[in-house]
Amino acid sequence: MPVFLTTTDDAFETQFKALLGAKREDSPDVDHIVAGIIADVRDRGDAAVIELTSKFDRLDLTPETMSFSPEDVDRIIADVPEAEREALQLAADRIRAYHERQLPQDESWTDASGATLGWRWTPVSAAGLYVPGGLASYPSSVLMNAIPAKVAGVPRLAITVPTPGGVVNPLVLLAARISGVDEIYRIGGAQAVAALAYGTGTIAPVDKITGPGNAFVAAAKRRVFGKVGIDMIAGPSEILVIADGDNDPDWIALDLMSQAEHDESAQSLLITTDAAFGRAVAEAVEKRLETLDRRAIAGASWRDYGAVITVRDLDEAAALSNRIAPEHLELCVADPDALCDKITHAGAIFLGKWTPEAIGDYVGGPNHVLPTARSARFSSGLSVMDFVKRTTLSKMTLQSLKAIGPAAEVLAQSESLEAHGLSVTARLKSLNE
Amino acid sequence: MPVFLTTTDDAFETQFKALLGAKREDSPDVDHIVAGIIADVRDRGDAAVIELTSKFDRLDLTPETMSFSPEDVDRIIADVPEAEREALQLAADRIRAYHERQLPQDESWTDASGATLGWRWTPVSAAGLYVPGGLASYPSSVLMNAIPAKVAGVPRLAITVPTPGGVVNPLVLLAARISGVDEIYRIGGAQAVAALAYGTGTIAPVDKITGPGNAFVAAAKRRVFGKVGIDMIAGPSEILVIADGDNDPDWIALDLMSQAEHDESAQSLLITTDAAFGRAVAEAVEKRLETLDRRAIAGASWRDYGAVITVRDLDEAAALSNRIAPEHLELCVADPDALCDKITHAGAIFLGKWTPEAIGDYVGGPNHVLPTARSARFSSGLSVMDFVKRTTLSKMTLQSLKAIGPAAEVLAQSESLEAHGLSVTARLKSLNE
């Protein structure tokens, strides 16, 4: 059973803090092993990648077979059923349409001093996307990472996906094809991250690496950060549902379970204004846990980290939600827009009872790579912005330098940076000659 | 003397790669010490901060004197000369005007399926700005960090600045006052970063920490990342000047020296289409190095990391510049706009001979916190965007769920995430009942 809390209890604040502070992830410390793998790939390139893939994935590659050729992909995706093909295409189209609106604008203007100022956005030249193999090999994640990169205009997008024993999920390759991915490598683990960051004889280095992975992949991403850009290191998934009593308990139970089934460390929370409804949802969860395929995982997550919190009113619900800063937030209340206005920290909000969070995982349009572990307080989900960077632009005329240069001279002097000041002085002096 | 390279030399590619790969920074490994300091501040709060400040800064604080009161600030800034006051205000006004244009827009639209989609930007609730003490205590950096945060709408902005022996730079406090900083603490080092991240009895925790610092501060920022957001970890400063022969060698020499004087590890590079001009600049540098106050630092930087590269034409200059991805790039050529169009990776570009880089350090308007060490390939300078985060919004109607829900069911099934699919199925089923 999950915990049941009520804000009117004296012990509530203590209980809520314990819930907020619960450590859900206990990553093994693999940093030492990963450091060795990265050094090996830097030193020996393809040879190291091939050896490590043979060892960890029981797959013997050569530089020639390291990537899937277009013909490989054609052959493997040929058998994907039409329904899945259409669903993936619909998802891709909607994700693309949403992300195209995120493309930032260049700006340029001339100010009163005559200075022309502005900025310009450009895509990274090459990005690498890590795709997990095995159970967590989700084609939807390929779309969610690859499409923003391509919308941003990244000219070269490479995927690495481990294929233990040579087995690959055809839908992953189809998602890559639909997204316009340029290169697909049959490698994984820290060796794949190292190959993307530093390059090998076969794989050219990239500038940015995104995508989820296990502890080895996460440690490798942390280590190559600085040499290349990385996206966030995602923790276990979370959902918070705020619901009034006017909902179907089974729907809310399924929404909670759709996070819980991801991972035993996932967290599903319900905040409700109606204590009886909260109990009804918990009962509906128990019922669903009798039959769900992933009931062992979902049940463990719900038992260890689940919670049902009864609040006095929706203002209190919003205040608690803002302290939680959830990755996913469902607002199943009569006026979800009004409640939404009170939310300051959340990765993604799903408004109203017709918007189960699962829609956002696949076909809604917004990205499903979102900040976890309360990091929505200071960070955003994956977007086109992760694949572009801004260059600021300044152009002075001699008039504008005359107008604002003297202030720069004063400040340079106050900071004891003489050459800074002189670089302005020399130019201003030429005007008086 | 710096190195002189020419692209027509057979050895050029090897020499250029060596220049690109030169390791300029050798940070001491203080991670172990920093881990202990952070643990101590988490455990003992104010008491630990007070002890560490006494030990490292020779300053005895109490919880009451840990921050500068508004009266302290009034008293200390009273003696700032009018010229410096005006220069700082001019800089602040220009920086604010530039950054106000960066405020991102919320979006909301309804698509063909009837789904309402969009996103919303909100500021972080609290930000902390680390300001170094001593020599590198630059008031301009206070403006560059604090103003974007306040433009973003951050309601609570705290500064920490170490005051060894109780000494503080009055201009730092004035810059904080002008920027609208809310709290100023007399602490520094890893203990200040820990206090901002985890909070103490006196200091409330923040959600984001920005600002430059020494190896201890950098290691502490890396360690608290995840608990809070951080900005980039900046390396030594760099400038690349692309100049044709029609420039005053002394101006370009001063521009190169205005980076070199920052730090012995700074790097100043000149790319020119005119070999004789390149030699003239090198001679002008030597001349300036006879008299510059910071000639020891600037001379070491120029000798160890400086370079003059002669190219065939400006296309070649642009291609090399894009491989360097410089923090600061000056385009001192007849048509800087045309050359600018060919630049894909740079933190900030300064166009034309009337725009010395020092203008950008103080009064231009754009931010002077910029990506170093080739990270302009994948990251941007500090901006309003560092203090806001995006929440994505989705609202389905029953019509839109009918239209796109079935595709989500198919994809959920293909990923073996049964509850995901059922959360859609249960809702769609109710429509048929």
Side-chain angles (χ1 to χ4, degrees):
Chain A
M1 290 291 279
V3 294
F4 286 81
L5 308 182
T6 307
T7 53
T8 50
D9 275 1
D10 286 345
F12 175 75
E13 185 59 27
T14 308
Q15 292 167 330
F16 184 71
K17 277 192 177 145
L19 190 70
L20 273 189
K23 190 166 163 49
R24 290 187 284 132
E25 205 180 19
D26 212 8
S27 297
D29 184 4
V30 296
D31 194 51
H32 189 71
I33 301 167
V34 165
I37 291 173
I38 293 174
D40 194 20
V41 172
R42 286 185 70 174
D43 282 354
R44 299 194 300 129
D46 282 341
V49 170
I50 287 169
E51 267 180 43
L52 290 160
T53 303
S54 176
K55 181 175 163 189
F56 293 121
D57 296 342
R58 307 172 312 283
L59 180 70
D60 292 319
L61 295 174
T62 64
E64 289 69 36
T65 60
M66 209 179 275
S67 67
F68 288 96
S69 69
E71 295 73 31
D72 292 336
V73 176
D74 288 342
R75 183 172 42 76
I76 296 168
I77 67 178
D79 293 336
V80 173
E82 195 56 27
E84 294 186 356
R85 199 177 285 271
E86 282 174 12
L88 214 51
Q89 188 66 54
L90 180 143
D93 291 345
R94 293 187 58 89
I95 295 164
R96 189 174 293 111
Y98 183 93
H99 286 78
E100 278 172 352
R101 291 175 178 255
Q102 293 179 330
L103 273 168
Q105 296 298 306
D106 296 348
E107 299 285 349
S108 178
W109 65 93
T110 302
D111 71 15
S113 79
T116 302
L117 301 172
W119 60 78
R120 195 172 62 188
W121 294 94
T122 46
V124 300
S125 294
L129 162 55
Y130 188 91
V131 180
L135 251 188
S137 179
Y138 295 140
S140 58
S141 290
V142 174
L143 302 182
M144 292 290 181
N145 280 268
I147 291 174
K150 279 296 175 184
V151 168
V154 175
R156 178 178 161 247
L157 177 57
I159 277 187
T160 63
V161 55
T163 60
V167 177
V168 67
N169 180 347
L171 281 174
V172 162
L173 297 191
L174 180 59
R177 172 67 61 86
I178 289 174
S179 309
V181 168
D182 302 286
E183 304 163 14
I184 310 174
Y185 297 98
R186 305 174 214 252
I187 61 174
Q191 58 273 24
V193 175
L196 289 171
Y198 291 98
T200 69
T202 301
I203 304 173
V206 303
D207 299 306
K208 176 106 187 188
I209 300 176
T210 71
N214 63 17
F216 289 86
V217 173
K221 280 169 68 181
R222 278 187 193 277
R223 281 211 159 249
V224 302
F225 175 56
K227 166 69 182 167
V228 299
I230 62 168
D231 63 343
M232 68 196 87
I233 307 283
S237 196
E238 311 146 13
I239 190 170
L240 167 61
V241 180
I242 301 179
D244 57 27
D246 190 20
N247 278 283
D248 184 327
D250 185 50
W251 296 9
I252 304 301
L254 285 166
D255 297 351
L256 295 169
M257 288 307 97
S258 71
Q259 292 310 302
E261 73 177 347
H262 269 296
D263 189 339
E264 293 185 1
S265 304
Q267 183 165 53
S268 303
L269 305 174
L270 171 64
I271 295 182
T272 181
T273 47
D274 183 331
F277 178 76
R279 286 190 299 273
V281 170
E283 279 162 30
V285 167
E286 295 307 326
K287 188 131 196 271
R288 285 290 182 179
L289 282 175
E290 290 169 13
T291 58
L292 277 181
D293 289 341
R294 296 167 74 104
R295 57 186 173 271
I297 293 170
S301 157
W302 179 241
R303 182 184 66 235
D304 293 342
Y305 303 113
V308 176
I309 304 174
T310 304
V311 292
R312 291 179 186 87
D313 54 36
L314 292 178
D315 281 347
E316 204 171 52
L320 292 180
S321 177
N322 288 335
R323 290 174 67 187
I324 294 167
E327 181 191 14
H328 304 100
L329 174 61
E330 274 187 26
L331 305 180
C332 298
V333 296
D335 186 350
D337 294 279
L339 181 54
C340 188
D341 286 345
K342 295 175 184 157
I343 303 299
T344 52
H345 310 312
I349 302 180
F350 304 88
L351 291 93
K353 64 178 176 178
W354 299 109
T355 320
E357 184 278 329
I359 287 293
D361 283 336
Y362 297 114
V363 294
N367 211 285
H368 79 195
V369 181
L370 293 164
T372 58
R374 306 188 63 221
S375 62
R377 291 176 297 123
F378 54 80
S379 63
S380 310
L382 196 71
S383 77
V384 168
M385 303 301 286
D386 290 285
F387 298 98
V388 295
K389 63 268 183 329
R390 183 195 328 95
T391 299
T392 60
L393 306 172
S394 313
K395 185 182 190 180
M396 300 291 134
T397 58
L398 55 89
Q399 287 81 0
S400 60
L401 191 67
K402 256 168 116 166
I404 69 174
E409 291 177 281
V410 169
L411 293 172
Q413 190 163 26
S414 77
E415 294 186 354
S416 302
L417 293 172
E418 187 188 8
H420 283 66
L422 288 173
S423 73
V424 177
T425 308
R427 286 166 167 91
L428 290 179
K429 219 169 131 188
S430 76
L431 299 176
N432 302 324
E433 277 166 3
Chain B
M1 290 291 280
V3 294
F4 286 80
L5 309 182
T6 307
T7 53
T8 50
D9 275 1
D10 287 345
F12 175 76
E13 185 58 28
T14 307
Q15 293 166 329
F16 185 71
K17 278 193 176 144
L19 190 70
L20 273 188
K23 190 166 162 53
R24 290 188 284 133
E25 205 179 18
D26 212 7
S27 296
D29 183 5
V30 297
D31 194 51
H32 189 70
I33 302 167
V34 164
I37 291 173
I38 293 175
D40 194 19
V41 172
R42 286 187 69 173
D43 283 352
R44 298 194 300 130
D46 281 342
V49 171
I50 287 169
E51 267 180 42
L52 291 160
T53 303
S54 176
K55 180 175 165 189
F56 292 121
D57 295 343
R58 307 171 313 284
L59 180 70
D60 292 320
L61 295 174
T62 64
E64 290 69 36
T65 61
M66 210 179 275
S67 68
F68 288 95
S69 69
E71 296 73 30
D72 291 337
V73 176
D74 288 342
R75 184 172 42 76
I76 296 168
I77 66 177
D79 293 337
V80 173
E82 194 55 26
E84 294 186 357
R85 198 177 286 270
E86 283 173 11
L88 214 51
Q89 187 66 55
L90 180 143
D93 291 345
R94 291 187 59 87
I95 295 164
R96 189 174 294 113
Y98 183 92
H99 286 78
E100 278 172 352
R101 290 176 179 255
Q102 292 179 332
L103 272 168
Q105 295 299 307
D106 296 348
E107 299 285 347
S108 178
W109 65 93
T110 301
D111 70 14
S113 80
T116 302
L117 301 172
W119 60 78
R120 195 172 63 188
W121 295 93
T122 45
V124 301
S125 294
L129 162 56
Y130 189 91
V131 180
L135 251 187
S137 178
Y138 295 139
S140 57
S141 290
V142 174
L143 301 183
M144 292 291 180
N145 280 269
I147 291 173
K150 279 297 176 183
V151 168
V154 176
R156 178 177 161 247
L157 177 57
I159 277 187
T160 63
V161 55
T163 60
V167 177
V168 67
N169 180 348
L171 281 174
V172 162
L173 298 190
L174 180 58
R177 172 66 61 86
I178 289 174
S179 309
V181 168
D182 302 287
E183 303 162 15
I184 310 174
Y185 298 98
R186 304 174 215 252
I187 61 174
Q191 59 272 24
V193 175
L196 289 171
Y198 290 98
T200 69
T202 302
I203 304 173
V206 303
D207 300 306
K208 176 107 186 188
I209 300 176
T210 71
N214 63 18
F216 289 86
V217 172
K221 280 170 66 181
R222 278 187 194 276
R223 280 208 161 251
V224 301
F225 174 56
K227 166 69 183 165
V228 300
I230 63 168
D231 63 343
M232 68 196 88
I233 307 283
S237 196
E238 312 147 12
I239 190 170
L240 167 61
V241 180
I242 301 179
D244 58 27
D246 189 22
N247 278 283
D248 185 326
D250 185 50
W251 295 10
I252 304 302
L254 285 166
D255 298 350
L256 294 169
M257 288 305 99
S258 70
Q259 292 310 302
E261 73 177 346
H262 269 296
D263 190 337
E264 293 185 1
S265 304
Q267 184 165 53
S268 302
L269 306 174
L270 171 63
I271 295 182
T272 180
T273 45
D274 182 332
F277 177 76
R279 285 190 299 273
V281 170
E283 280 163 29
V285 166
E286 295 307 326
K287 189 130 196 272
R288 285 291 183 177
L289 282 174
E290 289 169 13
T291 60
L292 277 181
D293 291 340
R294 297 169 74 104
R295 57 186 174 271
I297 293 170
S301 158
W302 180 241
R303 182 184 65 236
D304 293 342
Y305 303 113
V308 176
I309 303 174
T310 304
V311 291
R312 292 176 184 89
D313 53 36
L314 291 178
D315 281 346
E316 203 170 53
L320 292 180
S321 178
N322 288 336
R323 290 176 65 187
I324 294 168
E327 181 190 13
H328 303 100
L329 175 61
E330 273 187 28
L331 305 181
C332 298
V333 296
D335 187 349
D337 293 280
L339 181 54
C340 188
D341 286 344
K342 294 174 185 158
I343 303 299
T344 52
H345 311 312
I349 302 180
F350 304 88
L351 292 94
K353 63 179 177 178
W354 299 109
T355 319
E357 183 278 327
I359 286 294
D361 283 335
Y362 296 115
V363 294
N367 211 285
H368 78 195
V369 181
L370 293 165
T372 58
R374 306 188 62 222
S375 62
R377 291 176 297 122
F378 54 80
S379 64
S380 310
L382 196 71
S383 78
V384 168
M385 305 300 287
D386 289 285
F387 298 98
V388 296
K389 64 270 183 329
R390 184 196 328 95
T391 298
T392 61
L393 306 172
S394 314
K395 186 181 187 180
M396 299 292 133
T397 59
L398 55 90
Q399 287 82 1
S400 59
L401 191 67
K402 256 169 115 165
I404 68 174
E409 292 178 280
V410 169
L411 292 173
Q413 189 162 27
S414 78
E415 294 187 355
S416 304
L417 293 172
E418 187 189 7
H420 283 66
L422 288 174
S423 73
V424 177
T425 308
R427 285 168 168 89
L428 290 179
K429 217 169 132 190
S430 76
L431 298 177
N432 303 325
E433 277 166 5

